[in-house]
């Protein structure tokens, strides 16, 4: 077994009573003494501080030195309008496979003379390989020595404003660089909880002091991976390796919204990315199966792997739960999974098999809870 | 009070055995969000899975510590599964069973032995 990588904030997590577990090659806090349920609710009611330093931070710069060249180059790998992304703006996207699957989902920011990309921890190696192989006209480099913190929840703006006076001026998906006590903060107004909030990249050496300052605010509590998962599940956000992977297409996953007009059939830069045949075909004809929200009846959670059926007895499974658990804000179990297109209409009743018994599940629109983004 | 290796506690109440889980187990499980209880009048063998507990983290089972009949279940846990975290040794008992051979209880750990086993 390879040794787990340690976070710059490890000592602080331990001091705060964080229960550390291995995750994507890192030792990460899964929860603090507050517990997953209360951490989740606290983030929705006030603000939560998450250490997401395990995520990959990557710089893509065109050898020409021009940001638009980097954007156009990246469009060869990602079916998103990146050239149209303004400076200081961030956009969600995904690297696709030649068969139209997803290598990883990520966030891209236009930073003037280069693009800053944040990727999933467990996919860093695959992402860097795909970027380097596909972008010979760009320099692709992993950012090292920088921690990544997420501050999420309705009180995030006020909490960050104490340290970054103009934090409120950021709109959803804005990005900017600010100085805090002599170090550079790379701030984006985005996150993975369905709440308003920020993601802040900063030097490892300053991370603990900065985190402590945020935690001095009684509205801010540290939140572990456990609640991060239930928060994103209620927000209907995909988790790579579970809800999306190299087999699922972005259209099956319901990520159509992330593919702007410019990259679709008839657009100014239509296609030209791996898997365009399948992805554009599914966009026009509709996919055979789709990711849906699922609300199991009763209180029993239906977790990943739960098989889904079209009837309450007999027949083969028609789909599988890809993420599932208990939604603390909904006070009910919630799940996501894939179903044949004919069963995807919200309100459709299907059945999930739990411990040998089939229990009714209602197909639901995503997100389960409306997002509180500050647009 | 007696304790099993599966972190259940067993309390004798007249001719019945009341079964719950220890504080340590409740802490390890995390916030409990769902409890599925057996039907009363079910005959169970030792080791039968009789209760399902779902926490925010995972599902786990409680097995029958002894052979016997389930004679009562704690319906409060249906509406308020969080009771398992709040009062695992008291209000959050799971079921009561009638056991043929009460002397079999002697085989389980006492409090000191249990505490030592989790230390």
């Amino acid at each position: 077994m390879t040794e787990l990588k340690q976070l710059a904030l490890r000592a602080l997590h331990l001091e705060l009573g964080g229960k550390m577990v291995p995750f994507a090659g890192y030792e990460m806090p899964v929860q603090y003494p507050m517990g997953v349920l209360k951490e989740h609710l606290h983030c929705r009611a006030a603000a939560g501080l998450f250490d997401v330093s395990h995520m990959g931070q990557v710089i893509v710069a065109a050898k020409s030195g021009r940001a638009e060249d980097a954007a156009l180059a990246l469009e060869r790998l990602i079916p998103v309008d990146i050239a149209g992304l303004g400076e200081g703006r961030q956009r969600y996207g995904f690297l696709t496979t030649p068969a139209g699957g997803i290598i990883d989902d990520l966030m891209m920011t236009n930073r003037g003379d280069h693009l800053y990309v944040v990727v999933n921890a467990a996919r860093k190696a695959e992402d860097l390989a795909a970027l380097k192989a596909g972008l010979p006209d760009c320099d692709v480099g992993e950012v090292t020595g920088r921690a990544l913190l997420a501050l999420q929840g309705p009180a995030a703006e006020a909490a960050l404003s104490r340290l970054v006076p103009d934090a409120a001026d950021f709109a959803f998906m804005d990005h900017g660089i600010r100085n805090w006590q002599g170090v550079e903060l790379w701030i984006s107004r985005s996150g993975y909880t369905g709440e308003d909030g920020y993601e802040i990249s900063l030097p490892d050496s300053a991370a603990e002091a900065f985190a402590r300052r945020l935690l001095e605010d009684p509205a801010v509590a540290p939140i572990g991976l456990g609640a991060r998962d239930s928060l994103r599940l209620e927000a209907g956000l995909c988790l790579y390796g579970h809800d999306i992977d190299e087999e699922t297409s972005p259209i099956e996953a319901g990520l159509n919204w992330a593919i702007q007009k410019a990259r679709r059939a008839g657009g100014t830069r239509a296609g030209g990315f791996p898997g365009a045949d399948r992805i554009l075909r599914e966009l026009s004809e509709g996919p055979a199966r789709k990711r849906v929200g699922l609300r199991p009846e009763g209180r029993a959670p239906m977790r990943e792997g739960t098989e889904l059926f079209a009837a309450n007895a007999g027949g083969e499974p028609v789909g599988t739960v890809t993420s599932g658990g208990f939604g603390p804000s909904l006070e009910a179990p919630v799940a996501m999974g894939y179903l044949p297109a004919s069963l995807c209409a919200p309100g459709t009743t299907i059945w999930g098999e739990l411990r040998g018994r089939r229990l009714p599940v209602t197909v639901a629109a995503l997100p389960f809870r409306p997002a509180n983004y500050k647009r | 009070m007696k304790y099993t290796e599966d972190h259940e506690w067993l309390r004798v109440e007249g001719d019945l055995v009341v079964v719950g889980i220890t504080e340590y187990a409740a802490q390890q499980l995390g916030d409990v969000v769902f409890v599925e209880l057996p039907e009363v009048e079910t005959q169970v063998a030792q080791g039968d899975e009789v209760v399902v507990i779902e926490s925010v983290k995972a599902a786990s089972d409680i097995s029958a510590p002894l052979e016997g009949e389930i004679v009562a279940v704690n319906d409060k846990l249906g509406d308020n599964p969080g009771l398992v975290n709040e009062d695992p040794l008291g209000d959050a008992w799971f079921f009561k069973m009638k056991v043929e051979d009460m002397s079999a209880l002697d085989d389980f750990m006492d409090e000191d032995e249990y505490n030592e086993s989790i230390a």
Side-chain angles (χ1 to χ4, degrees):
Chain A
M1 202 178 129
T2 52
E3 204 155 298
L4 292 177
K5 286 177 241 166
Q6 298 296 347
L7 302 168
L9 291 182
R10 181 167 193 269
L12 178 61
H13 295 313
L14 293 174
E15 183 186 314
L16 293 168
K19 186 177 164 197
M20 307 299 279
V21 299
F23 182 83
Y26 287 78
E27 195 181 42
M28 305 276 302
V30 66
Q31 65 168 85
Y32 297 89
M34 193 186 264
V36 176
L37 208 69
K38 291 197 183 82
E39 288 173 28
H40 176 116
L41 297 172
H42 183 90
C43 181
R44 294 248 188 266
L49 181 65
F50 306 71
D51 185 354
V52 291
S53 304
H54 60 312
M55 298 191 78
Q57 303 180 58
V58 179
I59 300 284
V60 177
K63 287 177 177 157
S64 69
R66 291 150 37 108
E68 57 263 45
D69 289 344
L72 285 169
L74 207 50
E75 286 194 1
R76 298 197 302 261
L77 304 180
I78 295 176
V80 170
D81 177 3
I82 308 169
L85 186 59
E87 189 173 337
R89 291 288 296 162
Q90 190 177 47
R91 196 161 265 181
Y92 173 78
F94 23 80
L95 289 159
T96 50
T97 72
I102 301 173
I103 296 173
D104 195 11
D105 64 339
L106 40 76
M107 294 291 262
M108 300 167 286
T109 303
N110 175 349
R111 297 218 304 185
D113 58 355
H114 66 267
L115 295 164
Y116 167 60
V117 183
V118 177
V119 304
N120 283 303
R123 300 298 287 176
K124 253 184 252 183
E126 289 81 358
D127 295 333
L128 286 167
L131 291 169
K132 283 177 179 165
L135 305 175
D137 44 348
C138 294
D139 291 315
V140 175
E142 189 181 353
V143 176
T144 54
R146 289 185 77 89
L148 189 63
L149 304 178
L151 182 66
Q152 302 277 298
E157 182 184 274
L160 187 60
S161 295
R162 291 192 180 90
L163 309 186
V164 179
D166 70 343
D169 295 344
F170 285 70
F172 181 60
M173 297 296 241
D174 273 353
H175 179 97
I177 296 177
R178 296 291 182 273
N179 183 293
W180 180 74
Q181 298 194 346
V183 303
E184 257 188 22
L185 307 177
W186 302 350
I187 302 174
S188 301
R189 194 154 195 170
S190 54
Y192 192 49
T193 58
E195 296 297 326
D196 178 31
Y198 303 84
E199 292 189 326
I200 304 141
S201 164
L202 75 172
D204 281 341
S205 55
E208 186 174 324
F210 187 78
R212 282 187 191 279
R213 285 296 306 278
L214 288 174
L215 290 166
E216 278 171 14
D217 187 327
V220 179
I223 312 289
L225 288 177
R228 181 169 161 83
D229 192 52
S230 55
L231 288 159
R232 70 91 198 167
L233 178 59
E234 284 185 345
L237 299 169
C238 290
L239 175 59
Y240 193 88
H242 301 260
D243 308 302
I244 49 176
D245 56 29
E246 293 204 357
E247 305 304 316
T248 51
S249 82
I251 312 307
E252 290 176 330
L255 302 173
N256 310 28
W257 57 270
I259 304 176
Q260 289 79 15
K261 216 170 151 189
R263 305 305 308 280
R264 299 186 181 203
T268 49
R269 296 184 312 287
F273 51 83
D277 288 358
R278 174 184 177 189
I279 290 168
L280 295 182
R281 188 185 65 241
E282 287 182 357
L283 256 179
S284 65
E285 294 173 8
R289 57 168 197 155
K290 279 194 270 190
R291 178 174 63 102
V292 293
L294 300 167
R295 301 283 307 252
E297 224 169 72
R299 277 188 73 99
M302 289 190 184
R303 298 181 197 273
E304 183 176 0
T306 302
E307 292 190 318
L308 304 170
F309 295 84
N312 63 359
E316 293 295 309
V318 292
T320 310
V321 169
T322 52
S323 280
F326 190 78
S329 302
L330 296 157
E331 295 181 16
V334 285
M336 300 194 291
Y338 283 84
L339 285 175
S342 60
L343 294 174
C344 289
T348 306
T349 299
I350 54 151
W351 282 264
E353 193 163 284
L354 219 51
R355 298 177 273 274
R357 278 211 315 248
R358 291 199 193 167
L359 301 172
V361 178
T362 305
V363 175
L366 292 172
F368 295 106
R369 266 182 109 258
N372 293 320
Y373 303 138
K374 193 195 155 187
R375 296 196 189 263
Chain B
M1 202 113 110
K2 290 288 192 175
Y3 299 85
T4 74
E5 285 174 359
D6 298 330
H7 309 286
E8 292 156 83
W9 54 256
L10 315 176
R11 194 175 64 222
V12 176
E13 204 176 270
D15 61 342
L16 301 179
V17 176
V18 189
V19 180
I21 61 168
T22 65
E23 241 171 326
Y24 172 82
Q27 216 166 45
Q28 293 295 311
L29 282 173
D31 305 300
V32 173
V33 295
F34 171 74
V35 176
E36 188 175 287
L37 296 164
E39 305 268 331
V40 290
E41 294 178 12
T42 310
Q43 294 291 332
V44 295
Q46 186 175 27
D48 281 0
E49 288 167 4
V50 285
V51 175
V52 177
I53 306 178
E54 295 264 10
S55 76
V56 286
K57 293 179 205 160
S60 32
D61 305 304
I62 292 188
S63 50
L66 294 161
E67 186 182 349
E69 183 189 349
I70 306 285
V71 296
V73 297
N74 186 355
D75 288 324
K76 269 197 261 178
L77 297 178
D79 295 332
N80 187 9
L83 213 51
V84 177
N85 300 106
E86 287 158 30
D87 192 11
L89 301 179
D91 276 355
W93 58 276
F94 287 93
F95 57 88
K96 299 181 185 185
M97 61 189 299
K98 192 173 249 167
V99 172
E100 290 301 316
D101 178 15
M102 290 293 254
S103 72
L105 279 168
D106 297 341
D107 295 341
F108 293 107
M109 290 179 273
D110 64 23
E111 189 171 349
D112 286 346
E113 286 166 332
Y114 177 71
N115 286 336
E116 206 168 298
S117 78
I118 57 171

